[in-house]
Amino acid sequence: MTEMQKLYLLVPLAPLFGAIVAGLFGKVVGRRGAHVVTILGVATAFVGSVFVFQDVQAGNTFNGTLYTWATSGGITFEVGFLIDTLTVMMMLVVTFVSLMVHLYTIGYMSEDPGYQRFFSYISLFTFSMLMLVMSNNFLQLFFGWEAVGLVSYLLIGFWYTRPTAIFANMKAFLVNRVGDFGFLLGIGLIAAFAGTLNYAEVFAKAPALATMTVPETGWPLITAICIGLFIGAMGKSAQVPLHVWLPDSMEGPTPISALIHAATMVTAGIFMVARMSPLFELSEAALSFVLVIGATTALFMGFLGIVQNDIKRVVAYSTLSQLGYMTVALGVSAYSAAVFHLMTHAFFKALLFLGAGSVIIGMHHDQDMRNMGGLWKYMPITWITSLLGSLALIGFPFLSGFYSKDSIIEAVQLSHIPGAGYAYFCVIAGVFVTAFYSFRMYFLVFHGEERFGKAAEHHHDAHDDHGSAHSDDDHGHDEHHHGLAPGQKPHESPWVVTVPLVLLAIPSVLIGFFTIEPMLFGSFFKGVIHFSESHPVMAELGEEFHGAVGMAIHGLTTLPFFLAMAGVAVAWLFYMKMPAIPAAIMKTFKPIHTLLENKYYFDKFNEIFFAGGARLLGRGLWKVGDQTLIDGMVVNGSAKLVGVIAQLSRLFQSGHIYQYAFSMIVGVFVLLTFWFNRA
């Protein structure tokens, strides 16, 4: 094993080591030991990722097997790594954001009795994601995929005595299993028809797979494979209709909300489709399916952000919408634009979540924006960093979000894939919607009237969506009394919270400017992401690109910029100057508001159709299958049959010799009769 291969192993194993120590020996090492060992593990992974990145930039890539687990039917099951530019980009994003979250957690979870357990979970989460992105075969990909889902279950339900947390983690677990079923079908078709699970070997056979059909159906095999894989991505990356778990993930502590939404679980689906570009490029039907799903998510999930009053849930719905933008990019074959937005989004979304967490700390765990206002005076670092994150989110020129988001919008405009017209409308309308709900949150939290420290009518409504019963959870903060008491003022968060905010704000502002040219129009992804000649959107986009400065200056004159500024202006007018207007609109359009408040009734449909159907099926199996068939006919029926046979036997088992003799004569008579008439 070479030195670089040892370094590849060190990157995922360092967080795993930290997770084992904090999880199994948490009482021995204590709170300080738990955060020291896990932070050192993730920091080691980050530094290792930097060295791997430098090595890849020097032209060194790796695709090989480290351990062969088993061979069956000609298919090899192995652990191996694929180290290229796409991999190292994901490694850097995952480890850096995870490191910031680990530091932030010291302050946020300082009073929680599950402190060591939490550090163990987030470190294990990081390991799982690294195994996923570094894999060179579908078996390891599936392992990382399921491990990320498993740990998310533990994290979303971290406060496991809270009924709403139990419900949320079960929802996340079950919805992702639906997606994983499609994912497994896609992998199964690959294994059956390609005869291998290795990426490189599958991609080499992709043209042959494109000529095949699924037996008994006549469906194009490559389309079935791609749609199956994408259904898995719909679960992990929360696309309609498998999006319902993501807002409920807010039940977990804020640091894990940042990690799930920014760098780990939800990015898995986007990364996977980009990695599978050699397959998706061969099926326009699959691309069109991806495009329409992503466009629907981008716009309609953004609408839900408008009616949220919980600060964390506004950021959560913005994640859903931005994931839709990434998926749209995948659908128009702009894979590099999708992962570019994944990267920039990871920084400013982690920043927004951690900023929201800082506000929650300052507000004594009141999450209702209606109880805030004027916080800029009391929390200057949180205010400035949240402003930068919000500007990046809406795509303000020169900030990171602008370069990635505008590239996606332009790529959709250039595309001719079926559904591109609908997708362009969704992403362009989504610009206004995103700006409106983002700055609605910003203005309500940081500016205007100071509404905290009052017996506000909304004081206990902040947790309506996820239960207000914090009194019975394990959360060590004083959850019995949410919000500031009369006379209390908010306060800036401790340095372990504000330092990650500052460190995340820097790439949120700068990284897009410095990386757009190599990642989108240079050779960064050359040989890693594949484009067919029939889908030339990135080439056409490159012809119009004249540098990062030129793009930003031109962006000041484009429709997305004006729509974003309009969204900001309307939010300022509605919530700073004329707050009666949104109240009047809500009253006038009450049915639409009710529809949005109920999240398009997806949860109600799932509750009635799927959960109700499952309960009905279970009750039927219990009543008919268990009680009637098994208990009634098999168990009780057998007992009754034995009783009848026993009653009949008593007639012949009387103890009288003459009855036995008579029975023998009858038996002989029957035997002889059948013998002589056998012909």
Side-chain angles (χ1 to χ4, degrees), residues 515-537:
T515 58
I516 181 170
E517 188 163 356
M519 289 185 71
L520 294 195
F521 310 112
S523 58
F524 188 80
F525 288 127
K526 187 177 181 180
V528 178
I529 290 175
H530 298 268
F531 309 96
S532 72
E533 293 180 359
S534 57
H535 306 138
V537 290

Side-chain angles (χ1 to χ4, degrees), residues 396-642:
F396 193 81
F398 289 100
L399 274 68
S400 294
F402 160 76
Y403 291 104
S404 55
K405 196 171 180 179
D406 265 43
S407 298
I408 291 172
I409 294 170
E410 290 179 30
V412 177
Q413 191 177 14
L414 293 169
S415 177
H416 300 290
I417 289 175
Y422 167 73
Y424 182 70
F425 167 77
C426 289
V427 295
I428 205 72
V431 172
F432 174 86
V433 174
T434 301
F436 179 76
Y437 69 66
S438 298
F439 274 82
R440 170 182 177 264
M441 177 182 72
Y442 171 76
F443 289 131
L444 284 175
V445 172
F446 294 105
H447 295 279
E449 177 193 357
E450 295 181 2
R451 298 177 296 277
F452 48 81
K454 302 176 182 179
E457 59 182 289
H458 306 301
H459 190 73
H460 298 290
D461 294 343
H463 307 281
D464 285 349
D465 289 333
H466 59 289
S468 58
H470 291 233
S471 59
D472 61 349
D473 64 31
D474 269 353
H475 197 182
H477 303 296
D478 185 10
E479 300 279 13
H480 297 273
H481 304 94
H482 285 286
L484 300 169
Q488 279 189 305
K489 299 294 184 182
H491 55 84
E492 186 61 273
S493 300
W495 72 268
V496 288
V497 171
T498 55
V499 167
L501 294 181
V502 173
L503 293 176
L504 284 166
I506 296 169
S508 297
V509 174
L510 298 175
I511 199 163
F513 180 88
F514 291 105
T515 58
I516 181 170
E517 188 163 356
M519 289 185 71
L520 294 195
F521 310 112
S523 58
F524 188 80
F525 288 127
K526 187 177 181 180
V528 178
I529 290 175
H530 298 268
F531 309 96
S532 72
E533 293 180 359
S534 57
H535 306 138
V537 290
M538 291 308 298
E540 294 176 16
L541 208 58
E543 293 172 2
E544 300 178 5
F545 180 74
H546 301 292
V549 174
M551 180 178 175
I553 294 171
H554 175 69
L556 295 169
T557 63
T558 58
L559 179 60
F561 175 74
F562 292 119
L563 286 172
M565 293 302 98
V568 174
V570 172
W572 175 81
L573 179 66
F574 280 15
Y575 297 97
M576 291 291 97
K577 292 298 179 183
M578 299 180 181
I581 294 178
I585 293 174
M586 185 180 75
K587 189 174 180 181
T588 305
F589 299 97
K590 186 67 176 175
I592 296 175
H593 185 265
T594 303
L595 179 68
L596 294 177
E597 273 198 325
N598 287 279
K599 297 170 281 189
Y600 305 115
Y601 293 98
F602 273 106
D603 284 338
K604 186 65 70 176
F605 174 79
N606 290 334
E607 186 180 334
I608 295 172
F609 187 80
F610 289 109
R615 284 195 296 270
L616 186 64
L617 177 63
R619 196 176 295 112
L621 291 172
W622 169 46
K623 290 286 187 183
V624 178
D626 191 29
Q627 289 190 339
T628 305
L629 293 177
I630 297 174
D631 287 345
M633 295 183 66
V634 178
V635 178
N636 296 334
S638 300
K640 289 177 181 178
L641 180 63
V642 170

Side-chain angles (χ1 to χ4, degrees), residues 140-336:
Q140 190 175 324
L141 174 71
F142 190 72
F143 162 76
W145 196 266
E146 292 302 298
V148 165
L150 174 63
V151 185
S152 73
Y153 173 83
L154 298 172
L155 284 163
I156 295 169
F158 181 77
W159 291 314
Y160 54 81
T161 58
R162 190 191 303 173
T164 49
I166 297 169
F167 179 78
N169 70 1
M170 283 299 294
K171 183 190 270 188
F173 189 79
L174 292 173
V175 171
N176 273 277
R177 297 296 75 73
V178 174
D180 292 353
F181 181 71
F183 188 57
L184 199 56
L185 282 177
I187 294 175
L189 287 171
I190 289 171
F193 289 91
T196 179
L197 293 174
N198 184 275
Y199 292 164
E201 294 173 4
V202 172
F203 297 159
K205 295 181 179 182
L209 296 176
T211 64
M212 301 179 188
T213 58
V214 180
E216 309 298 330
T217 64
W219 299 342
L221 177 63
I222 197 72
T223 300
I225 289 172
C226 291
I227 289 178
L229 294 175
F230 180 67
I231 289 172
M234 287 170 64
K236 282 289 181 288
S237 295
Q239 298 296 291
V240 173
L242 300 183
H243 68 282
V244 294
W245 69 271
L246 193 59
D248 290 79
S249 68
M250 298 299 97
E251 284 297 325
T254 297
I256 196 52
S257 300
L259 201 52
I260 286 177
H261 287 245
T264 53
M265 190 167 174
V266 299
T267 63
I270 306 299
F271 162 79
M272 184 272 294
V273 176
R275 175 63 78 193
M276 301 301 141
S277 60
L279 301 178
F280 279 84
E281 280 300 280
L282 298 173
S283 175
E284 191 158 288
L287 288 174
S288 188
F289 180 74
V290 172
L291 179 62
V292 171
I293 293 291
T296 304
T297 306
L299 180 59
F300 289 91
M301 294 301 107
F303 284 139
L304 298 182
I306 297 173
V307 300
Q308 304 300 314
N309 294 311
D310 184 314
I311 185 173
K312 284 173 67 178
R313 287 187 174 254
V314 177
V315 187
Y317 280 106
S318 87
T319 303
L320 281 168
S321 181
Q322 296 309 303
L323 286 167
Y325 276 86
M326 298 174 208
T327 305
V328 164
L330 297 171
V332 297
S333 294
Y335 306 99
S336 51

